[in-house]
Every structure is written in structure tokens, then in C-alpha cells.
């Protein structure tokens, strides 16, 4: 995931990265996060994330002092300018945007979310890291409560070393909300879950929704020092959807041959 699709408008930034048609991540940076934000019109372009992060590291401070960062873009045909001020030290650099196609529409709004759970990020991250050691696929189940109010989030996997299962009942301290109208069960590849697991270490809470067809949405809530919330969204296809995509790709490749 080295390239991102960036959209800038009056509301802030949106960065989107995608892996085939199986995983999509969206980061929303509201204009409230910035001490000053100005944008005329609507801009969209591709961005080399690796190069962007290298520039931030090169220009950034090693003294531990708080620094000021300015990002400016004059429009198509111009580079993205980065300027940093660290005390009396001023540094700047530029990155040329990329021509990148707009990301695929995962049609989450059409999936009709069935179940939803809001849980603290640390327990779910620890559980996923433990389960990742045991197998290559995660089975995720949301089970409605009987009586109502006793729903359960179940995660398990199995592999050469054995099997492992973790349960989060709706009554546990880690869960703040749990809406489950019907039982759902899908499998997801840990190779697609890795970016989510890594991002969980930065979040306070995560809202997990299961949709019709097996699509999984995980929305991470990250708060900065001023308590402004930034949202990072992951859309992950179930293993059955990934296998269908692989089959279609293979059939298309054979026809081309």
C-alpha cells in the first residue's frame, strides 16, 4: 500500500489506499485538526506514501521540540510543498503528485449493515494478535443474545498448531454498544487484517459492522491532545468474496491467453 488517493476540499483531507478489490482504508483529517486551513474548490491526486513519509522524517525535528508543519498545493501541474519550522530552523521540500485512478467503490452503503459493536481497541488488538499466531484465517461471529442484552462477539481460528477462540460478551467492560439482530459468521484473511491490527494501537475505540454479503467495516476513533476525533475506516472483504475475485481474475487471464 505505497500509493494513496488524496481528496482535499473545504472539509479537510481524505486519504484512500486499496489492495486489489479486497481491502480499502480511508483516513479522514477534518479541517478542525489544523490551526489554519484554507481550500478553494475540490482537488484530487495520487500520492506516493513512502516518499511522503520519508520527507516528513527528513524534515522533521530530532530534538523532540514541537514543530510547525505547512502543506500547500497550487493545483494541477504543481508540486505538493512541505514546510517545517523547528525553532530557528526552517526546512522545506516538494513532492510531485501522481496520476492515479479513483479508488473502487466498495458500495458499503448498499451492504445494509446487520450487526454493530463498539469496543475498546486494546482488547480487540490483543485478541487479533494472539489469533494471528494460530492460523491464516479469522472466523468472526456475532451472536444475538437470548435473553436480549447478552450478545456475543466470537473470534476463532485454527491451523497446524491447534485452535484458539476468543469471546467478548456484551456485558464485558470492553464493549460500550452492541446491536445484533441476527447471527452472522464470516472468515477473513489475516493478510488483509494486518493494516487494521497495526492501526488499532493508535485508536481509543473501534466500531465493527458486519454487512450483507460478508463485507466488514471497522471504523477507528483516534483522538489527539485537543480531543478532536480522527476517523480511520477499513473495508475488508470476506474470504468467500476474495476467492470469487481470484476465480474471476484467473478466468479472465485464461481468456486473454
Amino acid at each position: 500500500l505505497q500509493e494513496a488517493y488524496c481528496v482535499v476540499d473545504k472539509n479537510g483531507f481524505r486519504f484512500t489506499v486499496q489492495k486489489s478489490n479486497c481491502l480499502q482504508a480511508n483516513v479522514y483529517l477534518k479541517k478542525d485538526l489544523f490551526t489554519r486551513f484554507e481550500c478553494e474548490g475540490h482537488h484530487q491526486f495520487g500520492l506516493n506514501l513512502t516518499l511522503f513519509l520519508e520527507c516528513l522524517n527528513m524534515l522533521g525535528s530530532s530534538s523532540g521540540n514541537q514543530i510547525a508543519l505547512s502543506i500547500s498545493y497550487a493545483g494541477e501541474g504543481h508540486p505538493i510543498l512541505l514546510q517545517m519550522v523547528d525553532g530557528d530552523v526552517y526546512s522545506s521540500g516538494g513532492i510531485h503528485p501522481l496520476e492515479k485512478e479513483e479508488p473502487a467503490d466498495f458500495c458499503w452503503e448498499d451492504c445494509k449493515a446487520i450487526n454493530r459493536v463498539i469496543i475498546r481497541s486494546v482488547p480487540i488488538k490483543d485478541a487479533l494478535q494472539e489469533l494471528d499466531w494460530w492460523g491464516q484465517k479469522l472466523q468472526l461471529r456475532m451472536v444475538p443474545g437470548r435473553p436480549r442484552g447478552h450478545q456475543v462477539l466470537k473470534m476463532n481460528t485454527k491451523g497446524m498448531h491447534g485452535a484458539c477462540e476468543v469471546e467478548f460478551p456484551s456485558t464485558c467492560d470492553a464493549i460500550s454498544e452492541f446491536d445484533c439482530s441476527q447471527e452472522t459468521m464470516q472468515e477473513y484473511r489475516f493478510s488483509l487484517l494486518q493494516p487494521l491490527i497495526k492501526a488499532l494501537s493508535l485508536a481509543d475505540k473501534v466500531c465493527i459492522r458486519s454487512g450483507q454479503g460478508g463485507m466488514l467495516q471497522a471504523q477507528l476513533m483516534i483522538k489527539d491532545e485537543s480531543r478532536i476525533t480522527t476517523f480511520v475506516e477499513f473495508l475488508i472483504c470476506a474470504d468467500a468474496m476474495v476467492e470469487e475475485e481470484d476465480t474471476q481474475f484467473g478466468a479472465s487471464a485464461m481468456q486473454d491467453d
Side-chain angles (χ1 to χ4, degrees):
L1 306 179
Q2 295 182 342
E3 294 183 359
Y5 183 80
C6 182
V7 175
V8 188
D9 57 24
K10 63 180 182 179
N11 298 313
F13 287 84
R14 189 193 80 211
F15 296 93
T16 300
V17 295
Q18 185 171 308
K19 183 175 182 180
S20 301
N21 290 321
C22 307
L23 165 67
Q24 187 179 96
N26 296 286
V27 179
Y28 302 91
L29 301 180
K30 298 179 182 178
K31 64 178 183 179
D32 299 337
L33 287 169
F34 305 90
T35 55
R36 179 183 176 186
F37 185 90
E38 299 177 0
C39 180
E40 296 182 1
H42 181 92
H43 306 276
Q44 51 193 24
F45 48 83
L47 184 66
N48 186 314
L49 278 180
T50 303
L51 183 59
F52 182 70
L53 293 174
E54 286 180 355
C55 285
L56 291 178
N57 289 330
M58 290 174 60
L59 300 175
S61 171
S62 59
S63 62
N65 297 328
Q66 188 173 12
I67 62 176
L69 168 65
S70 172
I71 303 175
S72 59
Y73 178 57
E76 188 175 354
H78 296 272
I80 302 164
L81 299 178
L82 305 175
Q83 299 174 333
M84 289 190 180
V85 179
D86 180 11
D88 297 329
V89 179
Y90 172 86
S91 54
S92 63
I95 302 174
H96 287 285
L98 306 173
E99 292 186 6
K100 187 172 179 61
E101 294 183 359
E102 188 172 350
D105 185 359
F106 274 42
C107 300
W108 169 254
E109 298 299 328
D110 299 332
C111 287
K112 296 182 181 180
I114 301 172
N115 299 321
R116 179 182 73 116
V117 58
I118 298 179
I119 185 171
R120 292 206 314 267
S121 61
V122 173
I124 198 77
K125 176 180 69 71
D126 292 343
L128 288 172
Q129 287 179 331
E130 175 65 24
L131 289 163
D132 185 24
W133 186 85
W134 290 89
Q136 296 182 341
K137 296 179 182 180
L138 171 74
Q139 185 184 84
L140 182 69
R141 294 178 63 192
M142 293 190 187
V143 183
R146 290 178 176 80
R148 183 172 176 82
H150 291 76
Q151 303 94 330
V152 182
L153 172 65
K154 297 184 177 183
M155 300 185 296
N156 64 73
T157 187
K158 59 183 178 180
M160 295 177 59
H161 304 290
C164 182
E165 180 173 291
V166 178
E167 292 188 1
F168 290 98
S170 58
T171 54
C172 73
D173 294 337
I175 292 179
S176 55
E177 293 184 34
F178 203 150
D179 298 320
C180 183
S181 59
Q182 66 184 73
E183 182 172 348
T184 56
M185 181 178 67
Q186 292 290 344
E187 288 188 337
Y188 303 91
R189 299 183 182 182
F190 273 110
S191 59
L192 296 177
L193 292 171
Q194 290 306 322
L196 167 62
I197 296 174
K198 185 176 181 180
L200 281 170
S201 61
L202 302 174
D204 298 310
K205 293 182 178 181
V206 57
C207 177
I208 301 174
R209 293 183 175 96
S210 60
Q212 288 182 345
M215 181 79 71
L216 180 72
Q217 182 200 52
Q219 193 174 59
L220 281 62
M221 291 160 270
I222 303 173
K223 293 184 178 180
D224 65 1
E225 296 177 354
S226 60
R227 308 305 294 171
I228 297 176
T229 302
T230 298
F231 291 98
V232 179
E233 175 192 59
F234 290 88
L235 297 174
I236 305 170
C237 294
D239 187 54
M241 302 170 70
V242 176
E243 290 181 348
E244 181 180 353
E245 178 75 18
D246 292 342
T247 301
Q248 292 176 353
F249 179 79
S252 177
M254 290 179 64
Q255 290 176 0
D256 291 342
D257 292 340

